[in-house]
Amino acid sequence: MNDRLNQLSLFVRTVETGSFSKAAREFGLSQPSVSRAVASLEARLGVTLLQRTTRRIATTDAGQALALSAREALAAIDEAENEARGAERLSGVLRISLPVAYGVRQIIPRLPGFLALQPELKIELMISDRYDDLVAEGADLALRLGNQPDSAFLTRKLATTDRIVVASPAYLRRRGVPADLDDLGGHDCLGGPVDAAREVWSFRHGERRDDVAIDVRVRTGSGSGVIACAVAGLGIAVASTWMCAEELEDGRLVRILADYTLEPIDAYVVFSSGRQPSRKARAFSDYLSAALYAKN
């Protein structure tokens, strides 16, 4: 029975990742071992599950049907074992996808408290500012920032954080402190991971809303990069308060344009589509919700 489950597990991860090699790395096996396991599964079932070429693999109709059923079955087995142990004794591996800055500053510092409650549970962190397919990543859940328009995923809002405008003291000494939004046009501004060469910062001042088109002098693909650029004196940045809290406290950054407010940013937990969240994913989501709410 264990061999059959192992074959199914390896097959499902091969389909999800699109690669024998990636599945092999996750299981600590060699690529030929995974390929042989899938071949053995095909021989046992008497059907072709994967079409193999030198560049890629593709699932047959039978392979797609088996991957869907097997994924649900494997998740059900894992869930049943955790149900039997009870909420206080979760086990297995919880795979979490995190954006870099939010993961490093908000989530990882809270992991010791969660793991202390679940001594039999292991955690695998996938930290990247690229929002990849959760199923392909093998993630049980992901932490995401901003709007979540894709209704195919089950989401849960965890926290809302204010955003502010910041710059380094050295930059402000060199270029002056902007007194109002009109002054931003004469300053170097820093951009995050968006496509346009120009971006719009939307402010509120009382009941009035002002949209300011910003010429970005330096753009970076991560929130951490934006803060690093601001600390280096490269320009003015918009940042969530959690992202720049340490730099504000130690004086590497200062807040400017404090009379104006920006739209806050929401943090969500996103569960993989196509199935109900596992017990361990729900437990971690509940823990994070309480921990982030307590701080905010």
Side-chain angles (χ1 to χ4, degrees):
M1 177 62 75
N2 285 341
D3 287 343
R4 294 175 65 183
L5 289 177
N6 288 337
Q7 286 177 353
L8 286 174
S9 297
L10 290 169
F11 168 70
V12 167
R13 287 306 294 147
T14 299
V15 172
E16 291 176 338
T17 62
S19 167
F20 287 115
S21 298
K22 290 180 180 178
R25 285 196 296 272
E26 289 187 13
F27 283 84
L29 300 172
S30 67
Q31 186 270 339
S33 296
V34 177
S35 183
R36 286 194 297 270
V38 174
S40 296
L41 177 62
E42 290 177 316
R44 180 164 58 82
L45 297 177
V47 295
T48 299
L49 301 172
L50 299 176
Q51 298 287 355
R52 302 156 175 85
T53 70
T54 56
R55 294 187 176 182
R56 61 187 293 270
I57 61 172
T59 54
T60 63
D61 289 344
Q64 288 181 336
L66 178 62
L68 179 60
S69 298
R71 184 186 301 124
E72 293 176 351
L74 291 168
I77 291 171
D78 187 45
E79 186 75 354
E81 290 180 347
N82 281 319
E83 289 282 356
R85 293 185 183 94
E88 291 76 25
R89 290 189 58 208
L90 300 176
S91 68
V93 179
L94 177 65
R95 295 179 175 89
I96 308 168
S97 175
L98 300 170
V100 178
Y102 195 72
V104 170
R105 299 202 180 205
Q106 291 289 87
I107 305 305
I108 291 177
R110 292 174 167 81
L111 289 182
F114 178 70
L115 288 177
L117 298 174
Q118 303 294 347
E120 298 179 34
L121 188 66
K122 297 179 181 179
I123 286 182
E124 180 179 332
L125 299 177
M126 293 164 280
I127 302 177
S128 173
D129 283 326
R130 290 180 52 193
Y131 284 6
D132 293 325
D133 186 300
L134 297 188
V135 173
E137 286 185 288
D140 296 288
L141 74 163
L143 277 296
R144 296 292 186 245
L145 300 174
N147 296 328
Q148 302 297 316
D150 192 342
S151 59
F153 293 95
L154 177 63
T155 63
R156 175 182 182 180
K157 184 176 174 181
L158 291 178
T160 299
T161 307
D162 291 333
R163 296 188 300 155
I164 59 177
V165 186
V166 297
S168 72
Y171 174 86
L172 296 174
R173 286 193 298 269
R174 186 172 74 252
R175 298 292 299 276
V177 180
D180 54 37
L181 301 184
D182 292 336
D183 289 346
L184 286 177
H187 281 270
D188 296 334
C189 294
L190 307 175
V194 297
D195 295 330
R198 292 168 64 89
E199 62 184 45
V200 175
W201 292 352
S202 297
F203 295 87
R204 286 200 175 276
H205 192 204
E207 296 299 318
R208 177 180 170 180
R209 171 175 170 151
D210 291 298
D211 294 331
V212 181
I214 301 299
D215 281 313
V216 175
R217 182 73 185 277
V218 178
R219 184 181 302 283
T220 179
S222 74
S224 297
V226 172
I227 296 302
C229 288
V231 170
L234 294 177
I236 294 172
V238 166
S240 301
T241 51
W242 59 261
M243 187 183 295
C244 59
E246 295 177 10
E247 290 80 2
L248 289 172
E249 185 174 353
D250 63 25
R252 285 178 289 165
L253 292 177
V254 296
R255 183 179 181 181
I256 59 176
L257 298 172
D259 291 338
Y260 299 87
T261 59
L262 295 108
E263 288 293 324
I265 190 168
D266 295 325
Y268 293 86
V269 60
V270 182
F271 300 100
S272 293
S273 61
R275 63 190 183 196
Q276 289 299 311
S278 65
R279 191 180 186 91
K280 57 192 175 186
R282 295 196 305 269
F284 185 63
S285 174
D286 291 343
Y287 180 84
L288 273 187
S289 179
L292 291 172
Y293 178 81
K295 183 172 182 179
N296 289 309

